[in-house]
Amino acid sequence: MKKHRAFLKWAGGKYSLVEDIERHLPPSRKLIEPFVGAGSVFLNTDYDQYLLADINPDLINLYNILKKEPKRFIEDAKGMFDQAHNVKSVYLGIRDEFNQTQDPYVRSLYFLYMNRHGFNGLCRYNKKGGFNVPFGSYKKPYFPEAEMEFFAEKSKRATFVCESYVETFKKARKGSVIYCDPPYAPLSTTANFTSYAGNGFSLDDQATLADCAEHAAQNKQVPVLISNHDTALTRRLYHGASLSVVKVKRTISRNGSGRNKVDELLALFQSAKDNVSQ
């Protein structure tokens, strides 16, 4: 099966892990993702229905607009991917406009533009909620037209909502399966644990997520698969799940020598009944 890339650059995207994730997801009619991010798992699985959530309103807004009016949006976005727009002063001007406007359509166009023209495809906001990623200085930023067309077509099966993972878990019903790709736990307690999407994802959140997963599996018969770093902390949090380890290449430090394999943990929470039947 052809693998499909997300149209957004995204830190911690799951493109390279899709096969492993799919192998561990129990069969179901509906896939729920409380941390959809760039949507690699959505794009590379085949469920009848999807409920895709994220705490970032700009991301969900973009997905809903692309779903609703793909032709118009792709055409308008394409106009921003020429050399005239690939200039630092123009980028900074668009970033300012983005931070001042509340117009959902304009924000979506600018969000895509900044994702491809900004440094490393980062998505970062300051304390006041202003997008603050610097210019990326790329020779010719890629316009992901085919990827957007595929996403728009597939999104006919999806509902996109902006809400917290706790809210999304409440919506899960039997017959669904949940995949969680939360901001990862720090590799060590001294690791710089920066905030995520402007709201932070604390160690308490890591623990709450594990509780939500256990509750969904035991009380609702909804299996939950979570990916995270393989650390003493995550193993303790996921003690009620079946654990699988996957080797993954990840850039940890800024220089190339920091590229080494970090073990990735896939934790599957299922009801006691499901565990027996396997």
Side-chain angles (χ1 to χ4, degrees), residues 15-215:
Y15 183 78
S16 60
L17 274 185
V18 157
E19 293 89 347
D20 290 300
I21 291 164
E22 199 175 11
R23 217 173 27 248
H24 288 90
L25 278 170
S28 170
R29 275 185 310 103
K30 182 176 187 175
L31 177 67
I32 298 175
E33 289 193 62
F35 307 89
V36 67
S40 287
V41 173
F42 156 59
L43 293 167
N44 292 288
T45 50
D46 189 19
Y47 291 86
D48 297 341
Q49 285 177 297
Y50 293 86
L51 174 62
L52 306 171
D54 203 280
I55 198 73
N56 183 333
D58 290 315
L59 184 69
I60 296 302
N61 178 33
L62 166 59
Y63 289 166
N64 277 318
I65 284 173
L66 182 58
K67 176 184 176 176
K68 206 162 66 199
E69 22 186 1
K71 276 200 170 63
R72 176 192 171 203
F73 184 80
I74 290 170
E75 212 41 55
D76 289 347
K78 201 180 204 165
M80 302 183 76
F81 281 71
D82 57 13
Q83 280 313 106
H85 283 82
N86 192 24
V87 177
K88 186 178 181 179
S89 59
V90 175
Y91 173 87
L92 295 175
I94 286 174
R95 194 179 74 178
D96 283 346
E97 284 182 44
F98 174 86
N99 287 331
Q100 283 160 31
T101 182
Q102 289 307 312
D103 182 296
Y105 191 81
V106 174
R107 280 183 78 88
S108 288
L109 285 174
Y110 290 175
F111 187 79
L112 172 65
Y113 163 84
M114 293 187 301
N115 175 264
R116 288 279 165 182
H117 290 76
F119 181 73
N120 264 0
L122 290 173
C123 181
R124 200 182 63 195
Y125 301 83
N126 62 25
K127 288 209 162 51
K128 291 180 179 161
F131 193 87
N132 65 357
V133 175
F135 183 57
S137 301
Y138 299 109
K139 221 182 202 132
K140 191 171 189 270
Y142 174 67
F143 182 61
E145 186 166 3
E147 292 85 344
M148 289 164 82
E149 285 169 350
F150 182 82
F151 189 102
E153 183 55 38
K154 182 124 193 207
S155 68
K156 291 173 182 171
R157 291 191 238 168
T159 302
F160 299 101
V161 290
C162 180
E163 63 189 15
S164 73
Y165 64 95
V166 175
E167 291 304 309
T168 312
F169 265 91
K170 286 177 186 166
K171 294 178 176 170
R173 299 287 175 270
K174 200 173 173 178
S176 306
V177 60
I178 300 176
Y179 168 63
C180 293
D181 178 26
Y184 276 16
L187 283 169
S188 70
T189 43
T190 54
N192 180 13
F193 200 41
T194 50
S195 72
Y196 184 86
N199 66 324
F201 197 84
S202 63
L203 295 179
D204 284 345
D205 279 308
Q206 298 285 355
T208 303
L209 176 61
D211 289 344
C212 287
E214 202 158 338
H215 180 267

